[in-house]
Amino acid sequence: MSSQPTQKSKDLKISNKQVINPTILNEDKRKLSLLYIINRMERVSEKALTALIFEMKEKGMDLGYNFNNIGNNIFSHSLKEDITSLLYLGFIENDLKTKKLSLSNDGKEFLEKSQIEEEMKNKLDSAINDLKVKINAIDEEYNLKMKNERRLRNGRR
């Protein structure tokens, strides 16, 4: 009897992603608002950003994101995609150490040139000011979790 060698194969997974460029971004009010929010928050974790936009929606300021509640975690697939798009364009940065999002210089420059209506800016500013204490608490909780994880990893070495 001869045994045939088993072959391992890897499946190729193809997914479609919409190509984004800065000129298209000018017409996307949702991503512009997201850029503005990240700029106003200066440095914010993705979890806190998601909570902020969810809370804004709960208070009647819907930016167009749909949310799911998984356990005690709020998640938005469309928000995650928008964050990925802004990272891809280089308009936001993700600090590898703190895992916080912030605007890059290109993002700041783009935001200065973009056409966000003053009324929208005022609404966003008001919502951010109302929710900032709650969102900062979520961010601080996230910071503590990250420190504990780093401490555990370093302790195991």
Side-chain angles (χ1 to χ4, degrees), residues 3-97:
S3 62
Q4 298 257 341
T6 57
Q7 290 184 350
K8 292 184 178 180
S9 66
K10 292 187 178 185
D11 294 333
L12 178 63
K13 186 176 180 182
I14 299 172
S15 62
N16 294 329
K17 292 283 183 185
Q18 184 176 354
V19 176
I20 185 164
N21 63 43
T23 54
I24 292 173
L25 188 62
N26 256 330
E27 299 164 10
D28 190 336
K29 292 188 186 307
R30 190 170 79 176
K31 285 185 188 73
L32 280 175
S33 295
L34 183 58
L35 227 105
Y36 184 80
I37 291 167
I38 294 170
N39 186 51
R40 286 280 286 118
M41 295 299 292
E42 294 178 16
R43 296 169 41 85
V44 63
S45 68
E46 194 172 318
K47 181 177 181 173
L49 181 63
T50 302
L52 173 63
I53 294 172
F54 174 78
E55 290 289 333
M56 290 168 87
K57 184 174 184 173
E58 291 289 298
K59 295 187 180 289
M61 186 167 189
D62 189 354
L63 297 179
Y65 294 105
N66 294 318
F67 292 91
N68 296 313
N69 212 341
I70 302 170
N72 285 336
N73 295 318
I74 301 160
F75 182 80
S76 171
H77 185 68
S78 53
L79 176 58
K80 179 74 174 163
E81 283 185 351
D82 283 356
I83 290 170
T84 302
S85 296
L86 294 173
L87 284 165
Y88 173 78
L89 287 171
F91 287 167
I92 61 173
E93 303 168 325
N94 192 353
D95 185 317
L96 296 177
K97 187 175 179 183

Side-chain angles (χ1 to χ4, degrees), residues 141-154:
E141 179 184 335
Y142 183 77
N143 286 343
L144 291 173
K145 180 182 172 192
M146 294 297 293
K147 283 180 186 175
N148 286 338
E149 286 177 8
R150 275 194 300 269
R151 193 175 306 129
L152 287 172
R153 275 196 309 267
N154 292 336

Side-chain angles (χ1 to χ4, degrees), residues 117-129:
E117 300 165 1
E118 280 302 314
E119 183 181 345
M120 183 60 151
K121 284 182 183 180
N122 293 336
K123 285 180 181 179
L124 290 170
D125 286 341
S126 176
I128 290 167
N129 289 335

Side-chain angles (χ1 to χ4, degrees), residues 104-117:
S104 66
N105 288 335
D106 288 345
K108 289 175 184 175
E109 190 177 305
F110 180 82
L111 192 58
E112 286 173 9
K113 294 177 185 175
S114 65
Q115 303 296 320
I116 300 178
E117 300 165 1

